[in-house]
């Protein structure tokens, strides 16, 4: 928490203006995407579940992360563009750990999101497998 506060205090007005411009551009691209597609489906996270003792993912596919926030971009980017999202359990890794699928709808598309999740639950036959118990150890 101290790290978050210190990082926030270092931000300048120019930093905030640049971040808002980037967020606006992301939102425009997202709205353009949803002009063609009903839902976005993506991995819920970039890695398989890891031991609770590990604070955060330090590296993935050659990219190093300096803090606990950077590796979560696949999830928080959706929040930045005001889209409703959910994580749906959808399977297991080869070692039996649960895998999630992130479903995203356009802004104010909660009904579309929940309907899509229901369809996927039925296709994947998840009704009887939740809550998911890990099938193995890491």
């Amino acid at each position: 928490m101290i790290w978050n506060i210190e990082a926030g205090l270092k931000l300048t007005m120019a930093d905030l203006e640049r971040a808002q411009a980037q967020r606006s551009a992301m939102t425009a691209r997202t709205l353009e995407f949803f002009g063609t597609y009903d839902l976005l489906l993506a991995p819920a996270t970039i890695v398989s579940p890891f031991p609770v003792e590990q604070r955060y993912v330090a590296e993935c596919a050659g990219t190093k992360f300096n803090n606990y926030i950077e590796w979560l971009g696949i999830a928080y980017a959706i929040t930045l563009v005001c889209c409703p999202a959910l994580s749906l359990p959808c399977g297991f890794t080869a070692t039996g750990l649960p895998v999630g699928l992130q479903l995203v709808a356009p802004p104010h598309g909660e009904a579309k999101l929940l309907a899509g999740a229901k369809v996927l639950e039925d296709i994947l036959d998840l009704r009887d497998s939740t809550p998911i118990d890990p099938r193995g150890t890491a």
Side-chain angles (χ1 to χ4, degrees):
M1 185 140 192
I2 292 171
W3 176 86
N4 287 4
I5 293 168
E6 290 173 345
L9 291 173
K10 291 177 186 174
L11 294 173
T12 65
M13 184 55 72
D15 293 331
L16 297 175
E17 289 171 348
R18 185 174 53 257
Q20 186 57 40
Q22 290 172 343
R23 180 176 180 224
S24 294
M26 285 174 55
T27 300
R29 290 191 308 272
T30 301
L31 293 175
E32 184 178 337
F33 174 87
F34 284 119
T36 303
Y37 301 99
D38 293 326
L39 295 172
L40 170 66
L41 280 64
T45 184
I46 62 171
V47 297
S48 302
F50 51 88
V52 69
E53 296 81 18
Q54 183 179 335
R55 293 191 65 200
Y56 63 88
V57 176
E59 182 178 355
C60 181
T63 300
K64 294 185 187 307
F65 303 113
N66 297 317
N67 57 58
Y68 75 96
I69 294 174
E70 290 178 347
W71 77 278
L72 294 170
I74 196 168
Y76 72 69
I78 298 308
T79 304
L80 293 174
V81 294
C82 301
C83 291
L86 60 79
S87 179
L88 182 71
C90 65
F92 297 90
T93 65
T95 60
L97 296 172
V99 174
L101 180 66
Q102 181 178 214
L103 281 72
V104 183
H108 309 289
E110 287 82 359
K112 189 180 290 190
L113 175 67
L114 293 173
K118 170 70 170 112
V119 168
L120 280 172
E121 279 183 328
D122 290 345
I123 290 170
L124 297 171
D125 195 27
L126 297 172
R127 193 172 310 111
D128 297 327
S129 63
T130 55
I132 289 179
D133 290 325
R135 294 182 178 164
T137 58

